[in-house]
Amino acid sequence: QVQLVESGGGLVQAGGSLRLSCAASGGGFSMYAMAWYRQAPGKQRELVAAITSGGGTTYADSVKDRFTISRDNAKNMVYLQMSSLEPEDTAVYFCNTGRTYLSGIYMPYDYWGQGTTVTVSS
């Protein structure tokens, strides 16, 4: 069973940067696709970025060219580098384990971390 712990959130001004980290445990990390989701107050959780076991990446249009997802299989870690942050990026960010189809569509498994809060001020 996979366990996920997110960290790195905080308060930042618009235009600033943050790097989120997700530590995974439970075995088999290198076999999984990984993703970052976010949930703003009053809104549903949405997919932000995903990375395959081989390192291929996809992004939501709203964060493309601003966010970068990466992974370190030797350390069982996944990261989200966030730059040019906007107030609309304010949300709780969650790490997730899943898989990708050949089409590039990401399918989450039912494994989630506790989330880390990102607040972007104007």
Side-chain angles (χ1 to χ4, degrees):
Q1 184 173 354
V2 176
Q3 298 178 3
L4 304 169
V5 179
E6 302 95 336
S7 62
L11 175 64
V12 64
Q13 292 185 352
S17 299
L18 285 173
R19 190 183 75 159
L20 306 184
S21 299
C22 173
S25 62
F29 176 79
S30 64
M31 300 176 61
Y32 298 122
M34 300 292 295
W36 287 95
Y37 284 73
R38 67 185 181 187
Q39 187 168 22
K43 296 184 178 181
Q44 290 189 322
R45 193 171 300 183
E46 64 175 349
L47 178 65
V48 176
I51 184 167
T52 69
S53 60
T57 59
T58 59
Y59 298 92
D61 288 341
S62 59
V63 307
K64 194 173 300 180
D65 300 322
R66 298 190 298 118
F67 292 8
T68 301
I69 188 172
S70 61
R71 66 192 296 161
D72 186 339
N73 288 341
K75 297 181 178 180
N76 289 359
M77 297 287 291
V78 61
Y79 307 97
L80 185 68
Q81 179 65 50
M82 311 163 67
S83 62
S84 301
L85 284 163
E86 305 168 352
E88 292 74 20
D89 296 317
T90 296
V92 179
Y93 284 72
F94 297 90
C95 187
N96 174 254
T97 298
R99 70 179 298 270
T100 55
Y101 298 108
L102 291 177
S103 64
I105 300 298
Y106 181 83
M107 183 185 76
Y109 297 151
D110 195 21
Y111 299 112
W112 301 90
Q114 83 290 343
T116 186
T117 300
V118 172
T119 303
V120 184
S121 62
S122 300

